[in-house]
Amino acid sequence: NNSILLAAFAVLAISVSSAATLSEATLLRMGAMALEPTIDGQITIEESSAASTQYGAISQTDGIMAMRYAVFHVGYTAKGVYFAARTSVPKLPQTLTDDDTVTLTLLPPGAQTPRTFTVRTKDGVGDLPAGCIAAVHPLKGVTDYAVLCTETELFVPYAALGVAGMKDGEKWGLQMAVHYSSMPETATWHYAKDKPDELGTLWVDSSKPILSLINFFTLEQWRQSGNYRFMFRYVNNSKKSVKIASKTVLHRGIHSAKLDSEAEKDVDVKHVPFNDIGNFTLAAGERKEDVRIEWVIWGGKVNILDLDLVADGETVFRRRIAWDAAHTPNKWRDDRGVPTLKTAFF
C-alpha cells in the first residue's frame, strides 16, 4: 500500500542522503607498511616511519589549521589498518575529559556507510568492535615541538570492516580527527566546508611509496622568527625505484577574507613553487627525508600550502593546509573553575 511505499522511500532517502562521498582533493596513494605495529600507546620511530605521517589538523570551525598540536599516522598491513595520533593536552590543573577523543573513519569500496572508530585520549577507551585494539600513553611529556602531548594508537582488523583485506587499485574513504572538549573544537585531516560526510581518499597501490608531511618545524620557532622548515619523508617498500617530483605550491600572504577563493589565481599573493623537494629517484627499499625552508612568513595573514607530490608521474599525496601563526582562537580554557595556586617570595 501507499504507506509502505512512502516508508520505503523515506528509508531510501535517508540512506542516500547520509551516504559518504570520497574526495581526491585530499589523497594518499601508497603501499603497505613494512612492519606490524605494536599497540601499546607509544608511537615509536619505527612505527611512525612505516606509516604515513600527516601533520596539522584543520579546524572545522574556520578551515584553518588548529593551533593545538596534532599529528596523525595511518597505514595498512596484511592484517588491518593502523591509526595513531599525537595530540596536545591542556596544562595542569586542567585534564582531559571523556569528550577528548581521536577518531578514524574508513569507507571500504562498495560500502554505503562509513565505519567510525573513536577512542578517548585520556585512557584509550572506546566502543570498539571485537578484535580492535586501542591504547594510550598519557602525558607523553614535552615533545620536540614544545607541546605537552598524549599518544593514542588503534588497530582495526579487516574483519571489523567487513572485508578480507585491501587490494591494489581500491579507493577507500578516509578521515582522521581529533576533538578537544575545552573550548570545543574538532580538527580533521580532510577538510570540506559544509560537507561533513565527505571523506578523503586512501588509494591502495603496492607500487607506490609512502609519503609523509612530518612537520612545519616547531610552533615556537614560528613565533620567534617567522621561518618555516617543511619536512617530508619518502619510504619505498616496492621492489623497484620510483621517480619523485613535486607540483606543490605555497600561496603566501592571503587576506583571510579570500580563504575560500582560488588562491592560485590571486594576483596579490606570492606563489612559491616547491619544485626542489622532488626531482630525485627513490631506490627500492630506500627511505629519505627532505626539508624545504621558507623564510620569514609572518603572522596576520593566511597562508595556503597546496601539497601535490608525484611518484612516476602520478599524484600520490595531495592535501591543502591553510594556516596563520597569529591565529589563536580555540585554545584551552578552564570551564570547570579548577583552582590554581600562585606563590611569590618577598
Side-chain angles (χ1 to χ4, degrees):
N1 58 32
N2 289 339
S3 61
I4 294 176
L5 289 175
L6 288 173
F9 178 77
V11 171
L12 177 61
I14 291 171
S15 65
V16 170
S17 64
S18 63
T21 58
L22 272 63
S23 170
E24 292 190 14
T26 307
L27 170 72
L28 277 178
R29 183 176 179 178
M30 65 185 199
M33 297 174 66
L35 58 78
E36 289 288 344
T38 299
I39 308 304
D40 56 6
Q42 300 187 64
I43 306 170
T44 66
I45 294 176
E46 291 77 15
E47 288 168 339
S48 63
S49 297
S52 177
T53 298
Q54 298 291 311
Y55 171 76
I58 307 301
S59 174
Q60 295 296 298
T61 303
D62 53 21
I64 297 176
M65 185 169 67
M67 288 302 293
R68 286 180 278 198
Y69 175 79
V71 61
F72 303 122
H73 308 276
V74 65
Y76 64 93
T77 72
K79 297 179 180 179
V81 179
Y82 173 69
F83 168 63
R86 183 181 289 115
T87 53
S88 62
V89 300
K91 294 181 179 179
L92 295 172
Q94 291 188 71
T95 58
L96 295 171
T97 72
D98 289 354
D99 294 326
D100 288 289
T101 60
V102 292
T103 298
L104 171 69
T105 301
L106 293 165
L107 181 66
Q112 292 296 313
T113 305
R115 275 67 163 176
T116 300
F117 308 88
T118 298
V119 179
R120 296 195 310 226
T121 53
K122 77 170 190 177
D123 54 17
V125 173
D127 185 13
L128 302 173
C132 294
I133 307 172
V136 163
H137 186 71
L139 299 181
K140 179 69 175 178
V142 177
T143 72
D144 292 339
Y145 313 99
V147 179
L148 191 67
C149 290
T150 186
E151 295 185 342
T152 308
E153 289 187 301
L154 169 68
F155 191 79
V156 180
Y158 290 122
L161 295 163
V163 299
M166 287 188 171
K167 300 177 182 177
D168 264 12
E170 289 183 340
K171 295 182 180 180
W172 287 59
L174 172 66
Q175 181 64 289
M176 299 175 282
V178 56
H179 179 73
Y180 303 104
S181 66
S182 175
M183 293 190 71
E185 178 185 27
T186 298
T188 61
W189 170 67
H190 172 66
Y191 175 75
K193 184 179 180 181
D194 301 324
K195 297 179 180 178
D197 294 326
E198 185 175 277
L199 306 174
T201 298
L202 172 61
W203 187 338
V204 181
D205 190 340
S206 60
S207 70
K208 295 295 188 279
I210 301 174
L211 271 56
S212 298
L213 172 63
I214 302 174
N215 59 45
F216 282 10
F217 202 40
T218 69
L219 295 172
E220 295 306 316
Q221 185 75 6
W222 295 358
R223 300 189 181 106
Q224 292 170 3
S225 68
N227 301 327
Y228 286 70
R229 187 182 72 174
F230 302 92
M231 180 175 287
F232 300 88
R233 183 175 59 235
Y234 316 83
V235 178
N236 184 11
N237 292 330
S238 75
K239 297 181 180 180
K240 65 181 185 67
S241 62
V242 293
K243 179 68 170 63
I244 302 296
S246 170
K247 296 188 289 184
T248 298
V249 178
L250 169 63
H251 310 287
R252 293 183 50 163
I254 301 170
H255 191 276
S256 59
K258 298 181 180 180
L259 181 60
D260 294 330
S261 66
E262 295 180 289
E264 63 276 7
K265 297 181 180 179
D266 193 330
V267 296
D268 298 323
V269 172
K270 183 178 181 181
H271 308 285
V272 184
F274 278 20
N275 297 330
D276 53 340
I277 61 172
N279 298 319
F280 63 86
T281 298
L282 193 66
E286 183 181 5
R287 168 186 163 183
K288 179 181 174 67
E289 291 184 352
D290 202 4
V291 174
R292 164 63 191 246
I293 297 177
E294 189 69 17
W295 303 105
V296 192
I297 303 179
W298 300 116
K301 289 188 176 181
V302 173
N303 306 285
I304 294 180
L305 184 63
D306 271 331
L307 283 159
D308 194 330
L309 299 175
V310 175
D312 289 340
E314 297 177 305
T315 295
V316 293
F317 184 177
R318 182 186 294 121
R319 193 175 171 214
R320 167 170 279 204
I321 302 174
W323 84 96
D324 178 3
H327 183 72
T328 57
N330 293 324
K331 284 197 169 184
W332 305 108
R333 182 178 64 199
D334 183 5
D335 292 319
R336 295 183 297 162
V338 177
T340 59
L341 176 65
K342 295 182 179 180
T343 60
F345 294 92
F346 300 94

